[in-house]
Amino acid sequence: MKKQPIGVFDSGLGGLTILDALRRELPREDLIYFGDTANVPYGSKSKVAVTKFSLAIGRFLQSQGVKLIVVACNTASAQALPQLRRQLSVPVMGVIEPGAEKAARTTRNGHIAVLGTEGTVKSGAYVKALLKRRPQARVFQQACPLFVPLVEENWTAKPAAELIAREYLAPVCQSGADTVILGCTHYPVLKPVLAKILGPQITLVDSASAVAEAVQRFLTRRGQAAAGGRGRVTVFASDDPARFKRLAASLLAEQIATVKLKKLDL
């Protein structure tokens, strides 16, 4: 089990923020990443569709002999996690619980805002996870459906990104929140823009480091952590792997050698 890889998947590029954190925290682990670029974004799709895609990816990663699957997608974590855990034989970890835990520890005034896709916001998964940890917390949610396309098109440094972010963040600035959860793995790529608008008095929380720490604890507890050597990274995309590789170069600390094409078996 120690030598088996960890599987990670997302609707597209965003989950690379989780992959990067895992690479830093667990450098000895082999990682297999799947970006569902044929079906991105997940946030505007139905729960049925998101679950179907997630199960197809989960079965593929399971066939690769992984010892753990990390759902590096907030929408899939919110909508498909129960079915993934029910239908797969390997452990499955989502990103919402670690992110909520970190935000609950971080907030000073108990007011927390969640930025997410439409699917994540509608699910109320972050609200439930936060209130479980801080029952008196006040949670404000804001759907930001245009953020994912901005990241997928590599437009995060363009003026349009700041204009769109200001529209979404106006009510957040008025909510009284001192902590803002970046409730989509694409959103940390926009962190410089978001921090500029929100100001230094508001703490931005993304789940990447929290998830990596949770994975480390999980593997150590089960005696499955890899020992010795540098782990390998294998990347699959369900569409246009050349474009995925090109855009991924701006998100990862190390270059991806090859991105393999793998169509989903739906």
Side-chain angles (χ1 to χ4, degrees):
M1 291 291 285
K2 289 184 177 182
K3 294 182 179 180
Q4 290 178 267
I6 298 168
V8 184
F9 80 85
D10 184 57
S11 61
L13 289 161
L16 293 175
T17 58
I18 300 287
L19 184 75
D20 202 45
L22 288 169
R23 197 71 173 137
R24 290 194 307 271
E25 190 77 22
L26 303 160
R28 296 185 179 90
E29 299 289 345
D30 288 342
L31 301 170
I32 299 177
Y33 183 89
F34 192 103
D36 190 12
T37 45
N39 297 297
V40 67
Y42 279 8
S44 58
K45 291 181 171 62
S46 69
K47 181 177 181 179
V48 171
V50 171
T51 301
K52 180 172 69 171
F53 301 146
S54 299
L55 285 171
I57 298 168
R59 292 189 189 103
F60 169 70
L61 291 173
Q62 184 172 268
S63 76
Q64 300 299 298
V66 299
K67 59 188 173 186
L68 170 69
I69 293 175
V70 177
V71 185
C73 172
N74 285 262
T75 303
S77 293
Q79 298 184 345
L81 204 58
Q83 284 295 326
L84 286 165
R85 287 174 170 165
R86 192 172 296 122
Q87 297 195 35
L88 301 179
S89 60
V90 298
V92 182
M93 182 181 297
V95 292
I96 289 174
E97 292 290 332
E101 176 68 34
K102 187 174 180 179
R105 292 196 313 265
T106 300
T107 183
R108 301 176 302 280
N109 66 7
H111 295 198
I112 302 168
V114 179
L115 307 181
T117 65
E118 292 173 287
T120 298
V121 168
K122 286 178 183 176
S123 76
Y126 268 108
V127 177
K128 182 179 179 182
L130 287 165
L131 293 180
K132 182 170 70 175
R133 290 161 173 80
R134 291 192 66 149
Q136 305 305 317
R138 291 180 58 186
V139 184
F140 175 84
Q141 296 192 98
Q142 176 65 49
C144 307
L146 293 177
F147 279 178
V148 170
L150 284 171
V151 173
E152 291 286 329
E153 293 297 326
N154 199 25
W155 274 37
T156 56
K158 291 185 180 290
E162 183 171 341
L163 288 172
I164 291 168
R166 286 191 181 279
E167 287 291 325
Y168 286 148
L169 297 181
V172 175
C173 292
Q174 312 219 342
S175 70
D178 71 346
T179 301
V180 173
I181 297 176
L182 305 183
C184 173
T185 47
H186 285 75
Y187 295 1
V189 185
L190 288 158
K191 192 180 283 188
V193 175
L194 304 180
K196 175 184 175 182
I197 296 168
L198 292 171
Q201 73 280 4
I202 294 179
T203 303
L204 295 177
V205 171
D206 73 73
S207 55
S209 60
V211 170
E213 291 164 7
V215 169
Q216 185 179 53
R217 289 194 300 269
F218 177 85
L219 295 178
T220 301
R221 189 168 63 245
R222 293 168 66 102
Q224 295 177 356
R230 176 77 171 168
R232 296 171 299 171
V233 177
T234 306
V235 179
F236 294 89
S238 56
D239 188 46
D240 201 352
R243 180 178 182 274
F244 186 93
K245 180 182 176 181
R246 186 175 69 253
L247 294 176
S250 63
L251 300 181
L252 289 174
E254 61 184 283
Q255 188 173 3
I256 298 174
T258 305
V259 178
K260 303 176 184 180
L261 177 65
K262 176 66 177 82
K263 300 288 187 180
L264 286 187
D265 185 14
L266 298 172

